[in-house]
Structure formats: C-alpha cells, structure tokens
Amino acid sequence: MNIIFRVDSSYEMGTGHVMRCLTLADELTKKRAKVSFICRDLPGNLTNYITDRGYPVFLLPFHIRGHSSWLQVDFQTDAMETAQILIESPHVDCLIIDQYGIDQRWEKLIEKNVTKIAVIDDLADRPHQCSILLDPNCSYAEDRYHDLVPKSCVKLVGTSYAILRPEFRLVKKQLADRDGKINRILVFFGGTDPTNETLKTLQALSNFHFSSLHIDVVVGEMNKNKDVIQQICSHMPNVYFHSQIDYMAELVRKADFSIGAGGSSTWERCYLGLPSLSIITADNQREITKLVHDQGATCCLGVSAEVTMKRIENGINTMLANPSLVKKMSEKALQLMGEDKFNDVIEMIMGGDNGRH
C-alpha cells in the first residue's frame, strides 16, 4: 500500500503536525505500507528530520513572495504542485492531509489522483472532500463535522483517537498514582516555541524558592533560542536541558507537574495524567486549551502575549501549596482521554472500504 502525507512545518507553524504524522507513518510502516511525505520548503522545516527517520520527502518550492495563508501559496498552486508529484508516483492508495490551509477545493482537484483521502483536522472550520476525518483534539464525539464532510466519510472524533507514539503506551503500564506533591517539573513549549515561553518560564523558575525542584527543560532542534536556553540551563544547578529527544514519555512519567503550550503535547500530558500550567501560544490552541482547562486537567494562564514571568511564578507557587488540587488535576487528565482507539485509526487508513468520492 502506497501512502503519502501532505504536511508542513516551519518556525511559524511549529513542528506538531509533522511529528504526529511521523507517529502515524511509523505505525503504517509496521503494517508494510510504503510511506513518503510532500512538504513545502518553508524556513524552519523538518525535512532533514523526516528523511533521517527513513522517509522520502518530495519538496514543494518555497515562494519568496509567500501567501498569508497556512499554505503560504494559493490553494490552486499548492494542489497543482502536489498533483504533479502524485502523478509521477506509483499509484497512491491514501493521501493523508494535515494542513490547516487545505479544504475541499484543494481536495477536489486532487482526488482523481488517489484512491482515498484522509484528513487530520481539529478546527472544524472548513469543508472537506475526504473518506476519513480524524480529529483527536476534542473530548467529545459530538458530530462537529456533520455538514463539513460527505455523508460516507468515516469520522474518528475524540481524544480516544489521540496520535501518541508507542513509548507513551509502554510507559503508561508503569505509571504510578500521583500524590499531588511537586518535586519535579517538566518544561516544554513545542518544537519551535515561537513566542519564547521557555525563556520566560526559566526566568520565573530562577527564583530561589524553586531551587530544590528538579526541572527538565525540553526544546526542539528548530527552536531559534535553543543555544541561549542551553546556556541559561547550564548556570542553574537544578535544571536539566534536553534537545530533540526520543524519551519524552519517560520525562512525562517522572514529572510531578508540567509547564507547556496548549498544542498536541497536551494529550501526551493528559494520557499520562500529568497536571500542568498551560500557555496559549497560537490561535489554533485556544479551543483545546479551554477544553482541558474546563475539565480541570490544566490551569491555563492565558495567551502568551499576556502571560508575564510573574504570572508563571504565581501559578507555580499556587500549585506547590495545593497538592490536593494537583492530584485532582492528574485524575481529571486521565479521565479526559477515555478508551484508547488509536489502532482503529491505523486499521481504517489501511482498510479498503473507503474509496474515491
């Protein structure tokens, strides 16, 4: 089976979309699918990382006079450039799209070149022409895509379908109940951290009141400030720096509390019952973060531009003083995830029931 992903990454949009697609790619490869990627050559992209993971990447050209949309070009241009690659490839059984700039207009131009289209979306703000719709970023199976996809489309909606690497499922088997006491904090604001929340958080944690805490700071390879962050960490004896790691699940398991962004790493924390302070660093994180905050699994400090070092410091102090609250947050996080149905996603993509529309 030949499967191609259409997904992008950059300094501006981050790396989360590519990382979750790589998780799917690894599982599909285990099922003997042939997997490759189509990505636009944007500044700060993960092309080299994808190829290092063993997957071919077809690069769409960078347009110096970029478009303001997520695609950085108009949808017709992107569809035309993508179609050319699909035409020259062996027959494509499934095209998996994880790009906020793509909707049914693009998909209708492409569908004749593939057997089926699967879309990963979590905004529910535009129509799609697809056979499978995956939205793992909401806590309910309410049909938010009722008028946005064909009636024949299979909708996999809810946190039960969260795209998590196998390491998280392995680590969950070793998970102990959290008692709410905080001795170890994990700091992670995604692969690029474009709003520089890591440095702001480190400034808050530099207060001598927190010197007894063990603090793990994780940054992605494409974080523009990673060298500065590493240098600051080296001067804080209780702080440990990690870059582009493959053992995040272990750090989440060991941590008692976390400070991070409201993106896809939210579900990694919730899956392992890790309570957190969260900061919204992009518009597409608002709905997810509000949902998890309202469920009591995180405490949202607000939008990055409004969150000061002092607000982070006060938030940490509040949690340190309230272990019963922290314990409750952990319980709520675990409840939020529900039954694990990730294997259903793989089976649906590999299955042959969803043909061309």
Side-chain angles (χ1 to χ4, degrees), residues 46 52 184 189 205 245 271 328 357:
L46 286 182
D52 286 347
R184 186 164 180 158
F189 285 93
L205 287 166
I245 58 173
Y271 187 75
K328 192 71 173 177
H357 289 289

Side-chain angles (χ1 to χ4, degrees), residues 34-254:
K34 177 188 175 186
V35 175
S36 53
F37 285 71
I38 298 174
C39 304
R40 191 161 297 283
D41 191 13
L42 301 173
N45 67 74
L46 286 182
T47 299
N48 290 338
Y49 183 73
I50 298 171
T51 55
D52 286 347
R53 291 277 294 266
Y55 298 108
V57 178
F58 301 95
L59 269 184
L60 303 178
F62 173 69
H63 293 259
I64 195 161
R65 293 188 178 182
H67 202 266
S68 60
S69 72
W70 283 94
L71 282 173
Q72 300 296 305
V73 296
D74 61 86
F75 79 89
Q76 296 98 329
T77 298
D78 195 278
M80 178 188 69
E81 293 173 347
T82 300
Q84 190 58 45
I85 294 170
L86 297 175
I87 291 168
E88 294 172 0
S89 301
H91 177 74
V92 179
D93 297 289
C94 186
L95 175 68
I96 302 176
I97 300 165
D98 191 350
Q99 229 292 357
Y100 290 146
I102 289 176
D103 59 22
Q104 70 174 6
R105 298 172 301 170
W106 188 101
E107 291 148 4
K108 284 181 176 179
L109 295 175
I110 290 292
E111 62 178 344
K112 64 179 179 293
N113 300 305
V114 301
T115 299
K116 64 184 176 185
I117 292 174
V119 171
I120 305 172
D121 188 16
D122 46 42
L123 298 181
D125 64 348
R126 62 203 189 282
H128 290 291
Q129 182 72 12
C130 59
S131 300
I132 302 168
L133 188 287
L134 170 61
D135 180 354
N137 283 4
C138 69
S139 67
Y140 49 89
E142 189 175 301
D143 200 353
R144 62 204 299 245
Y145 293 90
H146 177 70
D147 297 321
L148 297 178
V149 296
K151 289 183 179 179
S152 59
C153 176
V154 175
K155 296 177 283 293
L156 306 175
V157 179
T159 52
S160 293
Y161 300 103
I163 304 172
L164 298 169
R165 298 187 299 280
E167 64 184 271
F168 283 89
R169 290 177 174 83
L170 288 173
V171 163
K172 188 161 188 173
K173 296 174 183 177
Q174 310 162 24
L175 197 61
D177 290 340
R178 302 180 189 276
D179 61 10
K181 296 176 182 176
I182 300 175
N183 296 302
R184 186 164 180 158
I185 292 179
L186 173 64
V187 178
F188 177 55
F189 285 93
T192 59
D193 186 14
T195 59
N196 211 5
E197 301 306 305
T198 306
L199 279 176
K200 194 190 298 180
T201 302
L202 279 172
Q203 289 171 344
L205 287 166
S206 66
N207 189 310
F208 73 93
H209 293 301
F210 306 133
S211 59
S212 63
L213 297 172
H214 177 118
I215 298 164
D216 290 301
V217 175
V218 180
V219 301
E221 182 63 29
M222 303 313 298
N223 188 315
K224 290 182 178 180
N225 299 298
K226 69 176 187 298
D227 292 337
V228 174
I229 293 168
Q230 184 173 15
Q231 186 176 15
I232 291 172
C233 289
S234 69
H235 290 96
M236 298 173 68
N238 61 323
V239 177
Y240 301 85
F241 176 85
H242 311 264
S243 179
Q244 202 65 48
I245 58 173
D246 59 3
Y247 50 88
M248 177 64 88
E250 189 61 26
L251 291 182
V252 173
R253 182 185 71 83
K254 290 179 177 178

